Amino acid sequence: MKRIRTKLCIFMTTVISSTLAAAPRINFEISFREPQAHYVEVKMEISDLRKDYIDVKMPVWTPGSYLVREYSKNVESMEACNEEGTELPITKINKNTWRIASNKNGYVVVNYRVYGFEVSVRTNFIDDVHAFLSPAATFLYVDGMLNHPAHVTVIPHASWSTVSTGLEPVAGSPGTYYAADFDMLFDSPIEVGNQDVFTFEAAGVHHEIAMVGGGNYDRERLKKDGTTIVEEATSIFGVNPNKRYVFIVHNYQSGGGGLEHLNSTVLGASRNGYQNERSYVGFLGLMAHEYFHLWHVKRLRPIELGPFNYDAENYTTALWIMEGFTAYFDNLLLRRCGFLNESNYLQALANDVNTVENRAGNQLQPVSSASFDAWIKYYRPDENSANTSVSYYNKGALLAMMLDLKILAATQGQKRLDDVLKIAYDEFYVKKKRGFEEHEFQALIEQVAGVSVDELFHAAYTVEPLDYNRYLNAVGYELVDYNKGRELPDLGITTSVSDGRTTVSGVSRGTGAWDGGINVRDEIIAINGERLDANGRELNRLIQTVAVGDTLDVLIARDGKIRTLNVVLSKDKKGAFSIVPLQNATPEQVSLGKIWLSLP
């Protein structure tokens, strides 16, 4: 095996060394000798870099997914050799860095394998059917050379025929792609297999959709609806920065999620959900969300998010602006495109209110802190997360909504949040070529609106209640809570049922269960002497027969021991929120509401 690798080193070096210029260059070749065992083989050639040693590194995270994932844990069998095929010593000097004793050799070839068998939009997955490669989890970089270009040659497994990636194809070299630097390489996922690829043109951009895993999708409908979304999103910013864009869609039995990239995205979907209208519109919302990111995050961004440090966390308090605003605009785009009617759109907004206001963590964690702590909290939820944290997606979307409504009202419908984003894109990305400071973004909003929005930026840093109706009323709508004034009992737990056992999966802060000592993973056996049924329905029936202040005798099993807990039922503090037209709205309010929701 080692002899074979040495010969490959000589061959690869001989071919490339005759064509490369003197400037340092980096080239990769990926192949799949054992895809059924979930491996990709990687060759990295470093040319014209004469140093005593070369440090090669693997990122610990991937942009857009704010968690240190330690990709280097999947690297195996690393070897290095020079142009003669002589093996060069390698020493691992920290968790994601290998030092190669290159001894001023002008050509160094590194061979290694990467294991990948995790289903997500941000991790490698390789099997006998296809390979999805997250570049940050696949490619090494030379320390200090992130700004250097790279070529990647993909050699598919013999049973595969298609490569889908946002990387630029190299003319005259089939299977070879070019990245201007490693930021571009790490931002360009690669799908290799037999995916169904179809295209459409929209906003002057060539779009490819690569469908992986089959599904009951309608090609023509997806192309038509994709065109509508792309052109509506482009109209906000006035320009589409790409010539080509790739949607890589992984279709599973049950799937979801997405990750944005500079000229591509990876989406997860349910393969048989396309014929269900609700599921299909949800998928269009995911498309809209990730596509909107090509402006808002990938180009217009907080100053902390680029250039990236791939070795550690890149902290920002502004994810509520980046992900939250995008979460606001994804549904708004669906409304403007006609995929959501007025009622469905308002319900989608109300769902965000319910999610935020009925989460105990909303009273503990400001959304700016949720942004900053994404690295340790958002992607690492546990049984207590609902009590300690809030989503910068949902709450950020609601703050975006209120900013949009405030701008609409202050300018009599002449300006809105769209105008802010367009100006910000031009000002920071196009002209200044840098990210923005949060105070600069607020100042820009105030410039467009002509009024202060300090109270809404202040709200991102506190847990004070949001006054939704202050903003909704201005455009002829109001938020109503159908639980207001009702005295409903609340035990304060969520449960799951398996093998006839009802087990506690969550305990809400400030409820009877919280105060009474019920724990996650407790098995609820009986309440007030009544044994629960095998399907867990008896629990709901019992709660409907008691009142706030009643004491329940809860028989539980915890770690194999039987206990009885006395739990006093508290009042259910959760709201049942909806957004409805405001009674007796003025003509001006109605007019602004029509502008907001693109109504005739």
Side-chain angles (χ1 to χ4, degrees), residues 16-36:
I16 297 177
S17 64
S18 65
T19 61
L20 284 178
R25 293 290 298 273
I26 299 170
N27 300 274
F28 293 94
E29 178 184 278
I30 57 175
S31 58
F32 305 90
R33 190 171 70 241
E34 295 183 303
Q36 83 290 345

Side-chain angles (χ1 to χ4, degrees), residues 142-163:
V142 176
D143 192 19
M145 293 180 63
L146 283 170
N147 62 337
H148 277 64
H151 286 80
V152 178
T153 298
V154 182
I155 302 176
H157 186 263
S159 61
W160 303 340
S161 61
T162 305
V163 177

Side-chain angles (χ1 to χ4, degrees), residues 58-62 69-75 122-123 136-137:
M58 177 163 278
V60 302
W61 70 291
T62 188
R69 297 182 182 277
E70 310 294 17
Y71 291 127
S72 60
K73 69 182 184 291
N74 293 317
V75 174
R122 59 193 68 86
T123 51

Side-chain angles (χ1 to χ4, degrees), residues 287-303:
M287 285 184 70
H289 183 100
E290 303 305 339
Y291 200 83
F292 194 82
H293 272 319
L294 77 86
W295 295 277
H296 191 68
V297 164
K298 298 312 301 181
R299 291 168 173 86
L300 173 62
R301 56 171 176 78
I303 201 163

Side-chain angles (χ1 to χ4, degrees), residues 403-569:
L403 284 165
D404 194 17
L405 300 185
K406 180 159 188 176
I407 297 167
L408 276 167
T411 63
Q412 291 78 50
Q414 298 302 305
K415 300 288 184 182
R416 59 182 310 174
L417 196 54
D418 302 50
D419 300 281
V420 173
L421 296 184
K422 184 181 187 304
I423 295 171
Y425 179 85
D426 292 337
E427 179 70 15
F428 296 105
Y429 174 70
V430 176
K431 294 178 183 177
K432 295 184 177 178
K433 296 178 171 48
R434 66 167 175 85
F436 60 81
E437 301 275 3
E438 201 165 314
H439 69 88
E440 294 177 309
F441 194 76
Q442 178 180 346
L444 192 58
I445 296 175
E446 292 175 341
Q447 175 186 324
V448 171
V451 295
S452 172
V453 294
D454 190 62
E455 81 279 5
L456 289 170
F457 275 75
H458 173 74
Y461 285 83
T462 73
V463 293
E464 297 169 6
L466 298 178
D467 187 357
Y468 300 101
N469 280 330
R470 174 180 175 182
Y471 306 93
L472 285 167
N473 289 174
V475 295
Y477 291 90
E478 65 175 333
L479 179 73
V480 296
D481 177 6
Y482 292 113
N483 278 349
K484 187 175 182 180
R486 302 180 70 189
E487 289 284 327
L488 300 174
D490 181 26
L491 179 56
I493 62 173
T494 55
T495 61
S496 61
V497 179
S498 178
D499 296 328
R501 296 183 177 185
T502 300
T503 304
V504 178
S505 55
V507 180
S508 297
R509 184 189 298 272
T511 62
W514 177 280
D515 295 335
I518 293 179
N519 288 184
V520 169
R521 292 185 290 278
D522 286 349
E523 179 191 351
I524 308 294
I525 300 172
I527 295 180
N528 288 350
E530 296 283 343
R531 183 175 179 83
L532 300 192
D533 65 300
N535 295 316
R537 291 188 296 261
E538 189 70 13
L539 179 59
N540 291 330
R541 188 194 67 79
L542 284 167
I543 297 301
Q544 292 171 4
T545 64
V546 293
V548 175
D550 287 353
T551 299
L552 304 182
D553 294 328
V554 183
L555 184 67
I556 68 164
R558 180 184 298 169
D559 191 28
K561 292 187 176 182
I562 305 298
R563 297 181 58 181
T564 298
L565 301 176
N566 301 120
V567 177
V568 179
L569 285 173

Side-chain angles (χ1 to χ4, degrees), residues 10 50 75 108 117 178 217 223 273 318 400 408-409 435 472 580:
I10 295 172
R50 298 184 181 275
V75 174
V108 174
F117 195 52
Y178 173 76
Y217 53 88
K223 289 193 286 186
L408 276 167
L472 285 167
V580 298

